[in-house]
Amino acid sequence: MRQVGLILENGFQIMGLSALAAFELANAELGSDGYRMTLLSKSGGIVRSTMNAGIETVALGVMPDTVMVAGELLPGPIAPGVKAFLVRAALEARRVAGVCTGAFVLAEAGLLDGRIATTHWAHARHLQERFPAVRVDEDRIFVQDGNIWTSAGMSAAIDLALALIEDDHGAGLARNVARRLVVYHRRPGGQSQFSALLELEPRSDRVKNALTYAKENLRNALSVEELADAARLSPRQFSRVFREETGQSPAKAVELLRLEAAKAMLESGRHAMDVVARDTGFSDRDRMRRAFLRAYGQPPTSLKRSLKLVGTEELE
């Protein structure tokens, strides 16, 4: 049985506990071969969240197989005892993980020096400024660098836990746990923290419905007429309302959705360029390349190189 210890300090963000739900459901699948979970703190006893919920903890001592650190809404200095325990954990535990702003705790203990790490996007630049030796990637869902793992905020704690479960027991179990949690099977670590649908921020249900339709039918041409029909508006009225609510033309918004989907497919490393272009509605590689250059200032192959996922084909 693998031991998972989650370190809490007063002021922890309660959403960080969601990671333990994934391990709990893994136990339902694994039985006695699963996980033993322990809530830890420097001295043990009651630790309170930002919502003032009290959680009983055990004092730091025996080293778990996997050490996790919960994040705080406002990351601050860590207790010397916690720091010393984490320094030891980097050498003795099989894995150490920071959930959300838990990355600040790992960084203060020196565990992230020279490593790639992530955290909630709202705190990423602060992390980089405070700990310049850390290579902060502010746009990732989670990052693994050696035996050190870090995740973005809030719901990304579940993605991190599912990734750890997959690391232990394979994709099949992680998929079953995700199904029990009623979440999408583990988002790839390289997936962006941002969503084109969230960035567009439509107000009305009609525009939201049109964008959802577009996202689910990227292979289609997605003309203004097709989107207007999904919104149950005339093409002229749809174009006007769409721009008022999103600040974008329908064509530009569709391109953003195609880019987001294409980027996710490329980051998975499992698809050829032609397949990505076809499945995301770009029609051909050259059109996709031009869209990438407009949006990211680099072609798709440069993205793949940066993720160390380049295959044998090139799109230059």
Side-chain angles (χ1 to χ4, degrees):
M1 177 174 285
R2 291 180 168 87
Q3 294 184 324
V4 177
L6 178 64
I7 299 175
L8 306 176
E9 292 193 85
N10 282 318
F12 74 91
Q13 215 289 316
I14 203 162
M15 187 68 176
L17 297 177
S18 65
L20 297 184
F23 294 109
E24 181 182 20
L25 292 174
N27 281 344
E29 298 277 338
L30 293 167
S32 60
D33 296 326
Y35 297 92
R36 185 194 311 174
M37 295 159 288
T38 307
L39 294 169
L40 304 170
S41 66
K42 177 180 176 293
S43 304
I46 298 293
V47 175
R48 296 198 173 275
S49 74
T50 52
M51 297 176 62
N52 204 35
I55 301 293
E56 186 71 39
T57 64
V58 175
L60 298 175
V62 177
M63 186 63 64
D65 170 79
T66 299
V67 176
M68 303 181 72
V69 182
E72 303 175 7
L73 285 179
L74 296 173
I78 60 174
V82 174
K83 182 175 181 178
F85 183 81
L86 289 171
V87 170
R88 185 161 64 92
L91 301 174
E92 298 178 12
R94 186 165 60 91
R95 298 178 301 207
V96 181
V99 178
C100 190
T101 57
F104 283 79
V105 180
L106 301 189
E108 190 168 334
L111 272 62
L112 299 183
D113 287 357
R115 295 183 185 271
I116 302 173
T118 194
T119 188
H120 191 289
W121 63 267
H123 297 281
R125 294 189 180 179
H126 181 207
L127 179 66
Q128 186 67 84
E129 292 168 359
R130 186 173 164 191
F131 302 101
V134 182
R135 297 160 59 192
V136 178
D137 189 337
E138 64 182 68
D139 196 33
R140 304 298 90 185
I141 294 293
F142 66 85
V143 171
Q144 177 191 4
D145 191 330
N147 70 328
I148 308 296
W149 301 61
T150 51
S151 78
M154 306 303 178
S155 62
I158 294 176
D159 296 285
L160 175 63
L162 289 171
L164 295 174
I165 291 168
E166 183 173 327
D167 186 51
D168 290 335
H169 298 286
L173 178 63
R175 189 177 301 111
N176 289 342
V177 172
R179 188 177 298 116
R180 283 174 173 260
L181 288 166
V182 198
V183 299
Y184 180 77
H185 173 52
R186 187 177 67 73
R187 292 177 290 180
Q191 185 170 321
S192 173
Q193 293 188 34
F194 302 97
S195 163
L197 288 178
L198 290 176
E199 290 293 301
L200 290 167
E201 295 184 332
R203 297 189 301 274
S204 69
D205 288 341
R206 289 188 173 187
V207 173
K208 289 177 183 177
N209 290 341
L211 285 169
T212 300
Y213 173 85
K215 190 175 179 67
E216 293 174 351
N217 294 276
L218 290 176
R219 283 196 181 193
N220 292 5
L222 297 176
S223 64
V224 170
E225 289 75 16
E226 185 176 358
L227 295 174
D229 185 62
R232 301 189 181 281
L233 294 168
S234 70
R236 179 177 294 182
Q237 186 181 14
F238 173 75
S239 294
R240 177 180 57 78
V241 171
F242 191 94
R243 189 178 287 275
E244 287 175 354
E245 293 194 13
T246 69
Q248 303 279 5
S249 68
K252 182 62 176 178
V254 167
E255 182 173 278
L256 290 174
L257 293 174
R258 295 194 199 280
L259 283 164
E260 182 177 68
K263 191 165 179 276
M265 291 181 71
L266 290 171
E267 287 169 345
S268 75
R270 297 192 299 269
H271 307 282
M273 290 289 187
D274 288 331
V275 173
V276 175
R278 180 195 68 208
D279 287 357
T280 57
F282 282 112
S283 302
D284 59 64
R285 294 167 21 139
D286 189 56
R287 184 174 297 178
M288 183 171 72
R289 178 180 182 276
R290 293 197 300 271
F292 266 74
L293 287 170
R294 284 193 298 271
Y296 307 123
Q298 59 180 349
T301 44
S302 294
L303 172 67
K304 292 188 76 175
R305 289 191 197 100
S306 68
L307 295 168
K308 300 179 182 179
L309 292 173
V310 181
T312 58
E313 60 181 327
E314 291 292 330
L315 184 59
E316 297 292 352

